Amino acid sequence: MFAGHLAAGLVLKKMERRINLGWLFFAALFHDFLLGILVLAGLEQIHIPANFAQTHYLTFTFPYSHGLTASIIWSLLGFAITYAVLPRWSSKERKQAGLAIALAIFSHFVLDWFVHIPEMPLLGENSPKLGLSLWNNLPLALGLEVGLVLIGFVYYLSMVKPKTNLAKYGIAVLMLLVTVLTVTGQLFSETPPPANGAAMSWIFQPFLLCGLAYWFDRKEK
Ligand SMILES: [Zn+2]
């Protein structure tokens, strides 16, 4: 899942308007960003199933980036860091911003849980693993992802009510582009990506995407 994670960022912007959407998107993609780093460092692994041409998905050993306990720790850390770096904001705004970032981080685990096979450990690699395997029904999984983006964007327009054109149309174009790339990328991928290439893309895509979102949202308060 990729585009679907951004829907969480769009919804959570409502919690504290002063927090830039770029940061919420980064929080929602944090698990995959970390996975990219840990794969390159040799601490987590990407596996390519022999029948990739039929299944169109990779499998993983990723207890530190995508485990349940790890996700709770990353979410708490996200809250603490956000709270700490906003000393000039009111205590209420700092707490709301921290909570929005923590929920954006944790939402990644919840949304991935729907699509991954049971490979998301509760704790370490030897603990029970979670995953509802929606990727085995790819049209359903991608339909869920498109649905999440639609719901997230409609909520963003109607509840967050962005005022500037960039925050409305810029974000709309960005979401459309990312959704089309996510769906076509998974649906038509017959040859697996090289593991290091995939890892690099999880590290660099968030910079581009969150940087654009940050720019589009910078005049909103
Ligand atoms: Zn993930």
Side-chain angles (χ1 to χ4, degrees), residues 2 11 62 72-73 138 142 151 168 173 186 189 196 211 220:
F2 190 71
V11 169
F62 52 7
I72 293 169
I73 293 171
L138 209 50
L142 293 173
I151 291 168
K168 274 186 233 164
V173 171
Q186 194 161 10
S189 62
N196 281 356
E220 292 283 325

Side-chain angles (χ1 to χ4, degrees), residues 67-78:
L68 176 60
T69 309
S71 299
I72 293 169
I73 293 171
W74 299 131
S75 306
L76 292 174
L77 254 171

Side-chain angles (χ1 to χ4, degrees), residues 1 5 29 31-32 35 62 66 108-109 112 116 120 135:
M1 177 164 304
H5 290 300
L29 295 174
H31 283 57
D32 291 347
L35 172 64
F62 52 7
H66 281 68
H108 190 105
F109 176 87
D112 268 6
H116 281 256
M120 303 172 74
W135 272 339

Side-chain angles (χ1 to χ4, degrees), residues 38-58:
L38 294 178
V39 165
L40 291 185
L43 295 170
E44 294 196 331
Q45 283 83 40
I46 301 174
H47 312 291
I48 296 161
N51 58 348
F52 180 87
Q54 283 86 49
T55 63
H56 303 269
Y57 64 81
L58 302 167

Side-chain angles (χ1 to χ4, degrees), residues 188-201:
F188 302 118
S189 62
E190 303 232 316
T191 45
N196 281 356
M200 296 279 265
S201 75

Side-chain angles (χ1 to χ4, degrees), residues 81-135:
I81 291 171
T82 309
Y83 190 87
V85 298
L86 299 170
R88 290 200 202 129
W89 292 21
S90 74
S91 163
K92 181 172 174 254
E93 286 170 337
R94 293 169 85 184
K95 277 188 202 137
Q96 287 292 100
L99 193 59
I101 291 289
L103 287 174
I105 295 173
F106 194 72
S107 73
H108 190 105
F109 176 87
V110 177
L111 295 178
D112 268 6
W113 168 67
F114 279 99
V115 293
H116 281 256
I117 58 166
E119 60 183 350
M120 303 172 74
L122 287 179
L123 185 62
E125 249 319 273
N126 297 322
S127 63
K129 291 182 178 149
L130 307 172
L132 293 180
S133 312
L134 265 192
W135 272 339

